[in-house]
Amino acid sequence: MDTLYQQPALLGMTPDELKTVAKTLGMPTFTAQQMAQWLYVRHVKSIDEMTNLSKANRMKLAEAYTIGAREPLQRMESVDGTVKYLFPACGDKFVETVFIPDGDRATLCVSSQVGCKMNCLFCQTGKQGFEGQLTATDILNQIYSLPEAERLTNVVFMGQGEPMDNLDQVLRATQVLTADWGYAWSPKRITVSSVGIKNKLKRFLDESLCHVAISMHSPLHEQRLQLMPAEKQMGIEEVVALLKQYDFTHQRRCSFEYICFGGLNDSMTYAREIVRLTEGLECRVNLIRFHTIPHVDLPASDEKRMETLRDYLTAHGVFCTIRASRGQDIFAACGLLSTAKKEGLA
């Protein structure tokens, strides 16, 4: 096992947990606040950098704990400027993280699991299968150890995995990012995606103020079930009914991700169903180009059909955009992330 994982990590701990660390090691209680500052404001990579702790206390801390920072093992840059990183996680596994610069905005697409259980037909991550849950440390490290971390304006939980299937760790990570004692980000800088997981989605909506993005891909039960097995446990009608119980008319945003498949879900029939389904819900729909993956015979929609779909939704009161495809040449675009072939790295 990686020696890092033989010690518990400080990254991801709350002030109360850091107080417990201090107390256990016989350190003054106020050192907990100092540690939080070094972690979440200064972003130090080693305990020895916590220079306002005495040398003796730094030694005691380093013997029992690690920061939890792990540098990326691999970097790939797209012709469009998108950068994909391979991070170590779960001790001996890996996850992919995508940095997307766009003018004065810079978005990071983070992963929450190694692989995924949802097995959506169109997703390369789903073909990998499920290999492990990321800890909050693993999730936060994708931000903490990102070379471009200081440039970030937004984080989206749209990488590998289903965030609601690892909800405790995702909520802990978003707490660190938004808490006054943590990164102190506004929740509106963070979007968490989901296919819709019974009970878990409601808990996220109740316990977090971050934006939510639902993977719709079809407004029709039978077709969505063929594309997304998760429809069986929580159908899109039930998902939308739940969302309608919450207020998205102010700063918090609700959006739907919709991959367009040529001749399958991009006709006016589907446009009308989306309008019907979302009536009364303040939301937006992001249309996404399908990126072909091996052994999956699904057609991609063409630009004209996507524009027609967008224009119909917009004309009927549904805010709709066509999302720009980024990083396709390095397999960093939507649905293409996978670390199944990278187990030889260590």
Side-chain angles (χ1 to χ4, degrees):
M1 180 183 286
D2 191 312
T3 54
L4 174 64
Y5 276 76
Q6 293 175 1
Q7 295 175 304
L10 298 174
L11 180 60
M13 286 191 179
T14 66
D16 284 345
E17 289 166 338
L18 291 171
K19 284 180 183 177
T20 299
V21 168
K23 182 178 179 180
T24 301
L25 296 178
M27 296 160 56
T29 303
F30 66 80
T31 58
Q33 184 178 358
Q34 293 173 321
M35 285 188 277
Q37 282 277 319
W38 286 114
L39 287 168
Y40 303 128
V41 178
R42 304 293 292 276
H43 308 141
V44 296
K45 298 300 173 65
S46 73
I47 288 171
D48 201 47
E49 293 177 65
M50 297 182 175
T51 51
N52 58 356
L53 274 64
S54 69
K55 185 173 182 179
N57 282 336
R58 293 201 304 271
M59 289 179 64
K60 284 192 288 187
L61 194 58
E63 286 173 3
Y65 292 89
T66 180
I67 294 292
R70 307 177 82 188
E71 297 297 319
L73 301 173
Q74 192 178 86
R75 180 186 189 275
M76 297 178 69
E77 184 167 353
S78 166
V79 293
D80 64 24
T82 299
V83 183
K84 182 170 71 171
Y85 288 101
L86 182 72
F87 278 98
C90 297
D92 59 354
K93 301 292 184 181
F94 311 95
V95 290
E96 292 186 323
T97 306
V98 182
F99 174 71
I100 310 166
D102 184 16
D104 59 357
R105 289 172 57 87
T107 300
L108 189 69
C109 181
V110 301
S111 295
S112 55
Q113 296 178 313
V114 181
C116 186
K117 299 177 187 176
M118 299 301 111
N119 197 27
C120 297
L121 179 61
F122 46 82
C123 181
Q124 188 66 38
T125 307
K127 305 306 174 204
Q128 178 176 345
F130 175 72
E131 296 187 25
Q133 301 281 27
L134 298 193
T135 63
T137 305
D138 291 324
I139 295 170
L140 289 166
N141 183 59
Q142 296 168 68
I143 301 165
Y144 199 88
S145 296
L146 183 79
E148 300 88 352
E150 296 303 316
R151 294 173 57 189
L152 290 180
T153 59
N154 301 85
V155 167
V156 295
F157 283 71
M158 295 183 182
Q160 292 177 265
E162 163 56 54
M164 302 300 155
D165 192 43
N166 191 17
L167 185 55
D168 286 342
Q169 299 304 311
V170 167
L171 285 174
R172 176 178 281 263
T174 57
Q175 179 190 19
V176 171
L177 292 173
T178 58
D180 290 342
W181 50 261
Y183 277 60
W185 287 5
S186 165
K188 65 183 181 180
R189 294 176 63 178
I190 304 168
T191 301
V192 180
S193 71
S194 180
V195 298
I197 305 293
K198 208 174 195 60
N199 300 323
K200 299 292 186 67
L201 179 58
K202 183 179 189 308
R203 187 179 153 209
F204 170 77
L205 292 167
D206 288 340
E207 296 183 22
S208 172
L209 292 176
C210 297
H211 299 323
V212 62
I214 300 297
S215 299
M216 181 190 292
H217 310 310
S218 176
L220 303 179
H221 170 72
E222 290 299 332
Q223 185 183 58
R224 191 171 187 262
L225 183 60
Q226 292 175 354
L227 294 170
M228 306 169 65
E231 169 75 8
K232 184 176 182 179
Q233 298 301 321
M234 189 176 190
I236 191 62
E237 297 274 356
E238 185 179 355
V239 170
V240 174
L242 174 64
L243 292 169
K244 288 180 179 178
Q245 298 175 27
Y246 295 83
D247 184 5
F248 296 103
T249 60
H250 299 291
Q251 291 193 341
R252 193 179 196 185
R253 189 170 67 231
C254 170
S255 59
F256 292 95
E257 309 299 299
Y258 196 91
I259 295 176
C260 293
F261 304 106
L264 291 182
N265 68 345
D266 60 351
S267 70
M268 285 302 97
T269 297
Y270 293 90
R272 287 189 288 269
E273 281 298 309
I274 293 172
V275 172
R276 176 198 63 79
L277 182 65
T278 60
E279 184 179 4
L281 176 65
E282 185 73 23
C283 65
R284 62 178 62 196
V285 174
N286 297 315
L287 303 181
I288 303 169
R289 294 167 180 82
F290 174 58
H291 303 106
T292 304
I293 64 173
H295 314 301
V296 174
D297 186 21
L298 285 171
S301 187
D302 61 42
E303 191 75 17
K304 182 172 178 54
R305 290 178 74 93
M306 291 180 70
E307 289 175 354
T308 300
L309 188 58
R310 177 199 62 195
D311 293 346
Y312 180 91
L313 293 176
T314 301
H316 288 78
V318 180
F319 184 85
C320 183
T321 63
I322 297 175
R323 181 183 291 170
S325 182
R326 300 286 302 271
Q328 188 172 357
D329 58 316
I330 58 169
F331 296 94
C334 184
L336 298 184
L337 298 186
S338 174
T339 53
K341 296 182 179 179
K342 297 185 171 69
E343 296 307 315
L345 290 173

